[in-house]
Amino acid sequence: MDLKFYLSLFLRRLPYFLFFVALGSALGITVARILPPVYVAEARLVVESEQIPGDLAASTVRTEASEQLQIIQQRILTRDRLLEMANRLRIYAPADGGPPPRLTPDEIVADLRKRIRIVTSGGIQPRGPVQATLVSVSFEASSATLSATVANEVVTMILQENVAMRTSVAGQTLDFFVQEVARLDQELARRSAAILAFKEANKDALPDSLDFRRSQQSAAQERLVQVEREEAALKDRRARLVQLYEQTGRIDAGPAASQSAEERQLQALRDQLTGALAVLSPENPRVRLLQAQIDALEKVVAGQMAGRGAAASGVDPALTVYEMQLADLDGQLDFLARQKTQLEERLEALRISIEATPGNAITLDTLERDQANTRGQYDQAVANKARAETGDIIEALARGQRITVIEQAIAPREPDRPNRPLIAAAGVGGGFVLGLGFVMLLELTNTAVRRSADITARLGVVPLATLPLMRTRGQIRRRRAVILGAFALVVLAIPAGLWAVDTYYRPLDLILDQVLGRLGLAGGIAVPVAAG
C-alpha cells in the first residue's frame, strides 16, 4: 500500500474535509449555544388514606387513588386550562429585548403537555404489600424560577382539582339521596292516601271487621227466626180469635185476658212475697230482693195503666172488644213485618259485604305490600342520606382520602440539559465523519490516471517520467477564494442563519422536535421554548 500516495490524495482533498468539519462544528457549536438551558423543578406529593376509620364514618367517595390521579391529570391538562395558565404565568413571554415566540395555541398546548410530567408510583401492587401512592410533578423551563413556579402551580391545580372532585362527588351523592328521600316520601304519602281512600270506600267490607259482621249476621238470623216465630204465633192467635168470634159471637174478655205480662208477673211476685214472709223475716235478703222486684214492676204497671187510660180516652167508643183486639194483633203483625224486612235487608247487606271481603282483602294486601316496599325503600334512602351527609361533612373538612405535598418545587441551581459540550463534540465528530466520507467517495468515484503505476497497469507501458498538473496563479487565487468563501459561509452565515431562524421565525428546539417527529424519533431532544 502506497501510504504516501494516499496521503497526498487526502491533502489534495483537504479543503473538502475541512469544509465538512467546519460545517459540523459550526452546526454543533451554534446549536449548543442557541439551545436554551433546561431547568427541571420537581415537587413530590403523597396520597393519604382516610383520617377517620371507615367502620366509624365512611366517605361516599370510593375512587381509587390511581384512577383519581388519572382523572385529575386529564382535567388539568385540558386545552383551556393550559392556555389560561400560560397566559397567567407568562410562560411564553418574550425575553428582555427579544421578539415574542410565534407559536399557535395548538403548539403551546402540545409543548406544555410535553414539558409537564406527572409520574405516579406505589399504590396497590399485583404482588407484595400495598405501598403508599407517591406523585412526582415536574416542569421543564429555560428559567429555574419559571420551572419551580409552574411546577408549584401544577401542584396547586392538582390539590384544588382533588378537593373539587371529591367534594363534588360527595355533594352530588347527597343531592341524589335528598331528592330520593323527597320522592319516596311523596310516593309513600300517595300510597297511604290510596289505602285510606280504599278503606273509606269499603269500610263495611274490610277484613278486620269480618268476624264482627259474621257475629252480626248470626245475631240477625237468630232475631229473624224469633220474629218469624212471633209472627206465626200472632197469626195463629188472630186466626183462633176470628174463629171463636165467628162460632160464638163473643170473645173471652175476663180479667186474665186483659192483664198484661207485667201485671201477671207482678201478681206472681206478690204471691211469692206472701209465702216468703210466712217463714222468713222482713230483713231477709230474699225478701228484700222480692220487694225490690215488686217495687220496680209496680212502677212499670202503673205506667201501663196510665197509658191504657189515655188510650181508652182516645178510643172510638163504637169499637168493640173484638175489633180492638184484632187491631192490636194487626198492629203487632205490621211491626213484626217491618222488623222482618229490616232484618232481611240487613242480612243481605251483611252477605254482600262478607262476599266482597276476600277481594277487598287481596286488594288491600297489595296496597299495603306496596306501601311496605315503599317504606323500606324510604327507610333505606333515609339511612343512605344520613351516610351521605356524613361523607359530605368528611370531605368538606378534608378528613377523607387526600393528596398532600411532601416537598415543594424549588428553583434548581443547575440546568438539567442540554449537554452543550456533548452537542458541540457531536457536531465536530459528525463533520469529521462526513468530511472523511466525502473524500473517500470522491476518490472511489474518480477513475482518472494519476500515477505512472496506473499507466503501466492499464496500458502495459513503462513511462520515462510523469509531470503533475500545473495550475496558474489565477486558478490558484480563484480556488483559494472559493475555499475561503465556503469557510466564511460555514463559519459566519450558518450560525447567523440559525440564530435568525430561532429568533424571528420559530424556536430552534421546536424545529428540531418537528424534524425528529417526522423521522420517528420524537422525544429525542426535549428542550423547552425560550421564555422570559
Side-chain angles (χ1 to χ4, degrees):
M1 178 181 293
D2 192 354
L3 296 177
K4 183 178 180 181
F5 170 72
Y6 288 112
L7 181 59
S8 64
L9 292 179
F10 177 76
L11 293 176
R12 184 184 301 174
R13 304 294 185 182
L14 183 61
Y16 297 105
F17 175 76
L18 295 178
F19 173 80
F20 282 100
V21 172
L23 177 63
S25 300
L27 288 173
I29 294 173
T30 302
V31 169
R33 295 285 297 178
I34 290 178
L35 288 178
V38 179
Y39 292 89
V40 180
E42 182 180 2
R44 298 179 63 193
L45 311 174
V46 65
V47 179
E48 297 182 355
S49 59
E50 293 81 358
Q51 306 299 308
I52 301 175
D55 54 349
L56 298 180
S59 173
T60 54
V61 183
R62 302 297 176 86
T63 308
E64 293 292 338
S66 58
E67 179 184 358
Q68 183 175 351
L69 289 171
Q70 291 176 359
I71 296 173
I72 292 173
Q73 181 175 354
Q74 294 302 318
R75 288 184 177 180
I76 66 176
L77 294 182
T78 57
R79 175 187 177 91
D80 295 338
R81 300 193 69 171
L82 289 178
L83 291 177
E84 186 275 333
M85 183 180 68
N87 294 329
R88 177 164 46 86
L89 299 181
R90 299 177 59 83
I91 298 177
Y92 295 94
D96 296 337
R102 299 179 180 179
L103 297 176
T104 64
D106 292 337
E107 292 174 342
I108 292 177
V109 170
D111 181 64
L112 286 177
R113 287 175 178 172
K114 180 183 65 177
R115 293 160 62 180
I116 297 174
R117 294 191 62 193
I118 302 176
V119 181
T120 304
S121 60
I124 300 176
Q125 303 295 330
R127 295 180 180 178
V130 177
Q131 300 178 358
T133 302
L134 303 177
V135 184
S136 172
V137 179
S138 61
F139 182 75
E140 301 174 353
S142 58
S143 168
T145 303
L146 181 62
S147 65
T149 301
V150 177
N152 289 325
E153 178 66 20
V154 173
V155 169
T156 302
M157 293 170 63
I158 291 176
L159 297 178
Q160 292 176 349
E161 189 64 32
N162 176 64
V163 173
M165 186 175 72
R166 296 188 67 86
T167 54
S168 175
V169 172
Q172 291 176 2
T173 304
L174 178 59
D175 292 340
F176 170 77
F177 283 110
V178 168
Q179 297 175 3
E180 188 69 7
V181 168
R183 183 187 69 82
L184 291 173
D185 182 64
Q186 295 177 357
E187 181 69 16
L188 189 61
R190 185 182 67 81
R191 294 190 181 278
S192 299
I195 292 176
L196 179 61
F198 181 81
K199 287 184 175 180
E200 289 291 335
N202 302 273
K203 59 183 179 180
D204 294 331
L206 295 177
D208 53 356
S209 63
L210 179 61
D211 295 337
F212 174 72
R213 283 181 281 117
R214 284 177 175 172
S215 63
Q216 282 188 329
Q217 186 183 36
S218 300
Q221 289 175 348
E222 293 176 358
R223 178 58 182 165
L224 180 61
V225 172
Q226 183 180 0
V227 169
E228 289 177 347
R229 286 198 301 266
E230 292 179 358
E231 184 182 22
L234 288 174
K235 287 181 179 180
D236 181 66
R237 180 180 174 186
R238 186 180 186 282
R240 286 189 286 106
L241 179 64
V242 172
Q243 182 181 6
L244 178 63
Y245 183 77
E246 289 177 351
Q247 290 178 355
T248 63
R250 60 184 182 84
I251 59 173
D252 187 8
S258 60
Q259 288 182 347
S260 64
E262 289 78 4
E263 291 176 342
R264 291 192 295 271
Q265 185 178 3
L266 177 61
Q267 185 62 40
L269 289 175
R270 285 174 177 173
D271 294 339
Q272 293 179 13
L273 178 61
T274 302
L277 288 174
V279 296
L280 299 174
S281 66
E283 301 299 329
N284 190 275
R286 184 165 178 265
V287 174
R288 288 186 177 182
L289 178 61
L290 290 173
Q291 187 63 46
Q293 292 177 351
I294 290 171
D295 293 340
L297 282 175
E298 285 178 347
K299 293 180 180 179
V300 174
V301 170
Q304 290 178 351
M305 295 297 292
R308 287 179 184 178
S313 63
V315 174
D316 188 358
L319 294 178
T320 64
V321 176
Y322 169 72
E323 291 175 345
M324 292 176 61
Q325 290 188 4
L326 283 181
D328 182 57
L329 291 174
D330 290 337
Q332 294 183 24
L333 287 173
D334 291 339
F335 173 75
L336 291 176
R338 290 194 301 271
Q339 194 173 13
K340 180 180 178 181
T341 302
Q342 294 176 356
L343 289 172
E344 289 176 349
E345 293 176 353
R346 177 59 178 166
L347 285 172
E348 181 65 18
L350 289 172
R351 183 188 65 81
I352 294 174
S353 67
I354 290 173
E355 290 179 354
T357 299
N360 293 339
I362 294 174
T363 304
L364 184 61
D365 181 67
T366 302
L367 293 175
E368 290 178 346
R369 183 174 64 250
D370 294 341
Q371 184 193 35
N373 293 335
T374 304
R375 181 174 295 278
Q377 295 176 3
Y378 176 79
D379 295 339
Q380 183 65 33
V382 170
N384 291 336
K385 177 187 172 185
R387 287 194 291 269
E389 290 175 346
T390 302
D392 186 66
I393 295 175
I394 290 174
E395 295 301 332
L397 298 177
R399 291 295 184 268
Q401 186 184 80
R402 60 180 180 175
I403 301 176
T404 57
V405 180
I406 298 177
E407 183 179 353
Q408 290 278 359
I410 58 175
R413 295 183 179 180
E414 300 293 334
D416 184 72
R417 59 180 186 277
N419 191 337
R420 303 185 191 277
L422 180 61
I423 295 176
V428 174
F432 183 86
V433 173
L434 287 176
L436 187 59
F438 184 74
V439 170
M440 294 178 63
L441 181 62
L442 289 179
E443 293 302 325
L444 291 175
T445 57
N446 188 359
T447 59
V449 176
R450 291 173 291 184
R451 294 182 299 174
S452 57
D454 295 336
I455 298 175
T456 302
R458 293 186 180 184
L459 302 177
V461 178
V462 178
L464 298 176
T466 57
L467 298 175
L469 176 63
M470 305 295 293
R471 291 186 176 88
T472 63
R473 292 183 178 181
Q475 290 176 338
I476 294 174
R477 286 197 296 269
R478 285 194 297 272
R479 185 170 182 270
R480 290 177 179 176
V482 170
I483 294 174
L484 292 176
F487 274 97
L489 177 65
V490 170
V491 174
L492 299 177
I494 290 179
L498 291 176
W499 176 82
V501 169
D502 180 78
T503 304
Y504 297 101
Y505 174 65
R506 179 168 295 183
L508 191 60
D509 56 314
L510 289 182
I511 297 176
L512 292 176
D513 287 341
Q514 292 177 356
V515 172
L516 293 174
R518 292 180 180 180
L519 296 176
L521 301 175
I525 300 178
V527 181
V529 178

